[in-house]
Amino acid sequence: MELFHQLARRNIKISKQSGFGEQLRQQWEKVFAGHLTAEEKQHIHLHNRNGVNGYLWHVFSYEMRDCLTGEEAETAFDQEEKTCCYLFFQHSDDAFKVEDASGLKAADLAMENEKVDLYVVDSEFNWTFVITHENGWLGPYFSRR
């Protein structure tokens, strides 16, 4: 994926974690959407259902969890003290691990020609930064546990 090479070119130590995406999505849901009932998750289209794609970040766009949005989210991510973090996607089981994310900024994650949903979490899931395929309309989002 282009993002991997984009970050590697910036000398950010990144490694592929093939097949780890599903596990990260499950943990993300548990931490950031675990307070929702099954009915609420269905109402906000958190999961794929009846041929309609669901998105974990709907917990933010439907205002079911506090978060920062837009430039405030980017600033919060940029200012966050980062060590190890994971990057994963809504519709892929691939994931990336960044060993030293101290220099990682929101602008580094911009993927101009790709319409993907990117989730970034620290290794303890204390915070998340999400860039949506609706970038410019919905998101990005930043939230703490």
Side-chain angles (χ1 to χ4, degrees):
M1 193 171 263
E2 180 61 29
L3 179 61
F4 179 87
H5 300 294
Q6 186 175 308
L7 295 176
R9 281 193 298 273
R10 287 212 56 248
N11 294 319
I12 293 174
K13 186 179 176 188
I14 185 169
S15 61
K16 293 182 182 179
Q17 307 288 306
S18 296
F20 198 43
E22 178 63 26
Q23 182 179 341
L24 289 167
R25 284 190 299 276
Q26 288 175 2
Q27 181 66 19
W28 193 99
E29 180 179 345
K30 181 179 173 184
V31 171
F32 296 103
H35 63 288
L36 300 177
T37 65
E39 292 80 19
E40 288 171 324
K41 290 178 182 182
Q42 182 178 331
H43 174 74
I44 67 170
H45 310 285
L46 202 70
H47 302 116
N48 295 345
R49 185 167 171 258
N50 297 331
V52 176
N53 284 335
Y55 298 95
L56 295 174
W57 54 262
H58 281 176
V59 72
F60 302 129
S61 64
Y62 280 84
E63 299 180 354
M64 301 296 278
R65 183 175 184 89
D66 288 339
C67 68
L68 298 173
T69 61
E71 288 182 18
E72 286 182 329
E74 291 173 343
T75 299
F77 176 74
D78 289 350
Q79 293 176 350
E80 185 67 33
E81 199 169 303
K82 297 179 282 292
T83 55
C84 175
C85 69
Y86 293 99
L87 287 67
F88 60 97
F89 306 90
Q90 183 72 51
H91 300 295
S92 172
D93 284 335
D94 289 336
F96 305 131
K97 181 178 184 179
V98 178
E99 293 288 343
D100 177 9
S102 59
L104 188 63
K105 303 293 183 195
D108 298 328
L109 303 172
M111 296 175 286
E112 295 175 20
N113 297 323
E114 295 188 50
K115 291 289 187 184
V116 297
D117 301 279
L118 173 66
Y119 299 80
V120 183
V121 293
D122 69 307
S123 60
E124 301 296 319
F125 285 76
N126 290 314
W127 55 263
T128 187
F129 179 66
V130 183
I131 298 174
T132 76
H133 69 274
E134 302 284 2
N135 199 16
W137 181 42
L138 296 171
Y141 302 106
F142 183 88
S143 184
R144 295 185 190 286
R145 184 185 285 237

